[in-house]
Amino acid sequence: MKKTFVSKEKIEEIIKQYPTPFYLYDEKGIRETARALLKAFSWNAGFREYFAVKATPNPAILKILQEEGCGVDCSSLTELMLAKAAGFSGRDIMFSSNATPAEEFVYAKKIGAVINLDDFTHIDFLERCAGLPETICCRFNPGGEFAIHTAIMDKPEDAKYGFTKEQLKEGFFVLREKGVREFGLHAFLASNTLTNEYYPALAAELFKTAVWLKEETGAAVSFINLSGGIGIPYRPEDKPNDIMEIGRLVKDVYGRILTPAGMGNTALFTELGRFVLGPHGCLVATAIHKKNIYKNYIGLDACAANLLRPAMYGAYHHITVAGKENGPASAVYDVTGSLCENNDKFAIDRKLPPIEPGDRLIIHDAGAHGFAMGYNYNGKLRCAELLLRGDGSVRLIRRAETPEDYFATLKLSGLFDDMESLR
Ligand SMILES: *Cc1c(COP(=O)(O)O)cnc(C)c1O
């Protein structure tokens, strides 16, 4: 059974002040996971987690992670701006982007972020638009299939990211010639993995490549970035990853490959988003309609504009009904939002306790890639984000959008003439 971090009583108390739908994040859980991650890699002196801002781009969340010692990984100009405004600077910031616009390189260089190049041609591009910094990271794409034992995790050969192995070698020569003094190596080969073997297998691939690069070019990488990809148990039957075990397994690989090559002082970085935040945020919505035709539907006041993953990937998000957690799941529903899109369903044929309009539904594991993927289709507005503090109090960390926000990019008169009666 999957538990929520908030009780029905607490939810009703929150709703008196903040109407549904809203995202709720659990500060205590976020801190615990960040600490567990740091502990698992504490054997590596230079270890650092660069939280992937794109997963949960909220400054209050970034502040919590900063207090826990994390840096941030950004993928765009606005994420860099957000990181800077949240108090991160210089080497606290990793910039891992692709098909990068010149202005983003210029800004990243200006604020001293560590730039992670996605392609060989970006060496020249970066040099022309911003000049090369002394420290550069390069993203590796080994091609082929990425398998663990015999299970194929993903196909890097079909992924748009990274340098080929030969391009890395050539790139290191060119970068060194152009004055780069410090190198990093990065790869992201599979997403949302539910096996303790992913990081160790990725680490082996990266460590071997780093040793080969040192032999071939004489340039030693000073940090290796294992990036994101550690998954979370979205389904009740999923077995969670064991981060301590992952840390131990990576340590073994490090001792086998890097240490004997004289690279035993290489720092390890991670850019986890989902693992750190996913379980510690939920979307809270109210059932506002119940409809029975060929199937039984529960209509919510939230929709795919608030949480896209089910509509986009058919992703499973566990749902509980507040106050009915222990009730028998004797009904079967499609749980829907209001978009004019039939894929706007948070769950299909889901066994749930009987639901009545007014019930509060908690959509689990939405803390990463949840709010952030929101959009405004059908003119729907993004909802608020709230933080459940360690002391039990609740803080608004992003207000809900209003029609004014939606229309902010238009010049139109008369929009609000008839709105007074609605307020
Ligand atoms: C998306 C992304 C991450 C975070 O991925 P998770 O699945 O949330 O761990 C990290 N690094 C890069 C470069 C990414 O694109």
Side-chain angles (χ1 to χ4, degrees), residues 95-102 105 115-133 136-139 160-163 167 171 174-175 178:
F95 182 49
S96 300
S97 72
N98 67 92
T100 314
F105 274 141
I115 294 174
N116 184 16
L117 289 181
D118 182 70
D119 187 51
F120 181 77
T121 64
H122 291 192
I123 297 171
D124 265 356
F125 188 88
L126 174 61
E127 186 180 31
R128 271 184 283 117
C129 67
L132 290 171
I136 280 273
C137 185
C138 295
R139 183 167 183 167
K160 65 175 176 171
Y161 309 107
F163 293 53
Q167 287 174 339
V174 172
L175 286 164
K178 292 178 184 289

Side-chain angles (χ1 to χ4, degrees), residues 52 54 73 96 139 186 188 191 227-229 271-274 369:
K54 75 167 194 266
D73 165 43
S96 300
R139 183 167 183 167
H186 170 285
F188 189 166
S191 191
S227 186
E271 297 173 339
L272 296 167
R274 192 187 317 269
H369 312 294

Side-chain angles (χ1 to χ4, degrees), residues 12-31:
E12 294 302 337
E13 183 192 320
I14 296 170
I15 289 171
K16 281 190 197 127
Q17 201 174 354
Y18 305 108
T20 58
F22 55 77
Y23 272 80
L24 184 66
Y25 300 95
D26 173 27
E27 177 175 4
K28 183 165 164 280
I30 295 168
R31 288 189 189 276

